[in-house]
Amino acid sequence: MNTNLIPPAPLFRDPIYDGATDPTIIYNHEEDCYWMLYTQRRSSAVNIGVSHIHGTLIGVASSKDLVHWIYRGTLPNLEFEPGTNTFWAPEVIYVDGTYHMYVSYVRGIPTNWNHERYILHYTATHLWEFTFESMLNLSSDRVIDACVSEIEPGTFKMWYKDEVHNSYTYSAISKNLYDWDVIGPEITDVSHEGPNVFTLCDRHFMITDFWNGLGVYESNDFTNWIRKADILNTPGMRKDDGQIAHHADVVVSSNQKEAYIFYFVHPEYNPLQMPKDFEMTYKEARTVIQVAQITLGADGLICNRDKIFSLTLS
């Protein structure tokens, strides 16, 4: 086992506000390295209600090996209207030399959850230089957490959380990544957020954050999903990994044999143990990014967050 490629725990902490959440991993072709884009919560700031989860920028960290990460700052020039606004949960797909980013957006810095939310589309040929394209017209005015995959050549599918419709996963289809036709609800067994779709050994999976670990679903056609055994729903033993996992991204090797899940954790906060009106201090608000290995099992996915492994992609 290559000890230089054994991931530390935690894998990454935001050095500005200690609030890295909602990670997505994308290969940066111009810099020849991996980028982690994430919601930069202001966990160390003075908070009123949930103000620290709003007014957030998109943080950037880079790595040559997915193990050793360095903070690079935040994505510039995302504002498309006046004011200080909120950007969450970036999703990036690279197609024919262009990066397409779909990011959740809330106007201003609300102190509660009762505000409209949208998904914005940006494009770039270099990851530091995104251009605003549009605000997507989807199934409601409270949609977040886009995930986009090419489900067949030239056909792209988006999954996202619709908070107006019970916080279920809805989906939409596009032929060009600019114009999207809403299909409707797709995962409706329980309220959740953060859908993420990937293929491992020719099997299609979706994971969701249902606030009690991560739900796992499997499909033969990217549409009809069967619930499998949950993962990351019990505390781990590594440093800052002792609570349930949240909103994750999965990186799969090019040969579809290895897979790794990047997720965030509140090391000192479990929402199931707190009253609804609880206001976090820095202790409860801080978050970290962790990574674990995923393998296939009889009932879907296996993820032992305490297992020591070398992170390598074939």
Side-chain angles (χ1 to χ4, degrees), residues 207-312:
I207 55 172
T208 66
D209 178 0
F210 70 109
W211 313 296
N212 194 14
L214 301 181
V216 177
Y217 304 81
E218 187 171 358
S219 173
N220 292 324
D221 58 5
F222 291 106
T223 297
N224 298 290
W225 299 91
I226 298 173
R227 184 76 179 258
K228 299 292 184 174
D230 302 333
I231 59 172
L232 295 169
N233 55 341
T234 57
M237 299 299 293
R238 299 183 299 177
K239 179 177 173 57
D240 284 350
D241 202 25
Q243 298 288 351
I244 59 175
H246 294 281
H247 195 130
D249 189 26
V250 175
V251 176
V252 180
S253 63
S254 58
N255 64 7
Q256 291 190 19
K257 300 300 183 183
E258 297 93 28
Y260 304 93
I261 186 165
F262 295 75
Y263 57 95
F264 85 86
V265 175
H266 281 281
E268 300 177 86
Y269 173 71
N270 185 337
L272 298 179
Q273 298 172 352
M274 299 295 181
K276 284 191 174 181
D277 59 352
F278 175 78
E279 289 194 13
M280 295 182 184
T281 66
Y282 165 56
K283 175 183 176 182
E284 295 87 17
R286 77 178 184 94
T287 57
V288 303
I289 305 297
Q290 302 278 12
V291 65
Q293 189 176 40
I294 289 179
T295 57
L296 289 176
D299 193 27
L301 302 175
I302 297 173
C303 184
N304 178 359
R305 67 200 299 177
D306 295 327
K307 180 182 177 182
I308 297 174
F309 63 96
S310 293
L311 201 168
T312 57

Side-chain angles (χ1 to χ4, degrees), residues 5 12 188 252:
L5 294 178
F12 178 76
T188 60
V252 180

Side-chain angles (χ1 to χ4, degrees), residues 128-280:
W128 283 117
E129 301 171 356
F130 278 100
T131 298
F132 173 72
E133 296 290 349
S134 69
M135 178 182 290
L136 301 187
N137 182 20
L138 297 171
S139 51
S140 80
D141 59 4
R142 293 197 183 187
V143 293
I144 62 171
D145 296 352
C147 169
V148 178
S149 291
E150 188 173 18
I151 59 173
E152 59 184 46
T155 299
F156 301 90
K157 192 167 187 178
M158 176 185 292
W159 297 267
Y160 59 91
K161 174 189 180 185
D162 188 328
E163 295 181 340
V164 169
H165 297 101
N166 300 308
S167 292
Y168 291 156
T169 287
Y170 272 55
S171 63
I173 287 286
S174 176
K175 292 291 187 180
N176 59 12
L177 292 166
Y178 292 84
D179 305 301
W180 293 89
D181 295 320
V182 174
I183 298 174
E186 201 151 304
I187 303 292
T188 60
D189 59 335
V190 65
S191 297
H192 57 275
E193 62 189 11
N196 186 267
V197 173
F198 61 96
T199 299
L200 179 61
C201 295
D202 296 321
R203 295 167 63 180
H204 309 311
F205 293 97
M206 178 190 293
I207 55 172
T208 66
D209 178 0
F210 70 109
W211 313 296
N212 194 14
L214 301 181
V216 177
Y217 304 81
E218 187 171 358
S219 173
N220 292 324
D221 58 5
F222 291 106
T223 297
N224 298 290
W225 299 91
I226 298 173
R227 184 76 179 258
K228 299 292 184 174
D230 302 333
I231 59 172
L232 295 169
N233 55 341
T234 57
M237 299 299 293
R238 299 183 299 177
K239 179 177 173 57
D240 284 350
D241 202 25
Q243 298 288 351
I244 59 175
H246 294 281
H247 195 130
D249 189 26
V250 175
V251 176
V252 180
S253 63
S254 58
N255 64 7
Q256 291 190 19
K257 300 300 183 183
E258 297 93 28
Y260 304 93
I261 186 165
F262 295 75
Y263 57 95
F264 85 86
V265 175
H266 281 281
E268 300 177 86
Y269 173 71
N270 185 337
L272 298 179
Q273 298 172 352
M274 299 295 181
K276 284 191 174 181
D277 59 352
F278 175 78
E279 289 194 13
M280 295 182 184

